[in-house]
Amino acid sequence: MVPLESVLETPKPSSEPLFVPPKPRPREPKPPEPRLPRRFKIVDVVSQAVLAEGVGAREALAVLKDVRRNIDVRVYVFQPKADRWRLLTLDEQRRLWDRRKLADDPSSHAKTGSARGAA
């Protein structure tokens, strides 16, 4: 019989150093996309006529000034990612309705602290 130590070879130490990859650097977060101005669509409840579509906030407020009550219209806002119009909640529509009086009154911008009114 042959001794077991002579049959089995022991691993020889490698002359090359062990390679350890560097830790990956965290990626820089993508800068947020600039927010597009909101676009509104205003529809008369009774006649289903579109009073305004694709208008900005100021134009929407100008259209709302000609409406008698806030429940006479439905106001939608365009969601670009979903590519659809979303009906504003009653609370959102009320807030928009309350601002309709401030749309053309330059003195009201100073009261609300708007930078445009202060200039």
Side-chain angles (χ1 to χ4, degrees):
M1 271 209 162
V2 180
L4 192 57
E5 288 84 23
S6 65
V7 176
L8 294 176
E9 293 184 25
T10 58
K12 297 183 179 174
S14 174
S15 61
E16 295 179 25
L18 183 64
F19 176 73
V20 177
K23 291 183 180 179
R25 284 183 254 149
R27 293 183 182 178
E28 293 182 22
K30 292 181 182 178
E33 294 181 15
R35 193 177 95 188
L36 298 173
R38 294 201 170 137
R39 296 186 330 195
F40 294 93
K41 176 179 173 181
I42 302 173
V43 179
D44 185 278
V45 172
V46 176
S47 67
Q48 294 298 313
V50 177
L51 303 177
E53 184 170 3
V55 297
R58 287 180 190 243
E59 294 86 4
L61 292 173
V63 170
L64 288 176
K65 285 181 84 171
D66 298 332
V67 177
R68 201 170 73 183
R69 295 179 298 173
N70 68 338
I71 58 172
D72 291 340
V73 292
R74 287 191 195 120
V75 182
Y76 298 85
V77 66
F78 188 72
Q79 294 180 317
K81 287 185 181 179
D83 195 32
R84 67 179 195 89
W85 292 99
R86 178 183 67 85
L87 180 64
L88 292 183
T89 64
L90 210 51
D91 188 43
E92 291 170 330
Q93 190 168 333
R94 248 186 241 123
R95 279 189 262 152
L96 193 63
W97 181 261
D98 291 341
R99 293 191 181 271
R100 71 189 163 89
K101 296 174 189 170
L102 305 175
D104 291 330
D105 186 12
S107 64
S108 64
H109 292 292
K111 292 177 189 172
T112 59
S114 174
R116 289 185 186 141

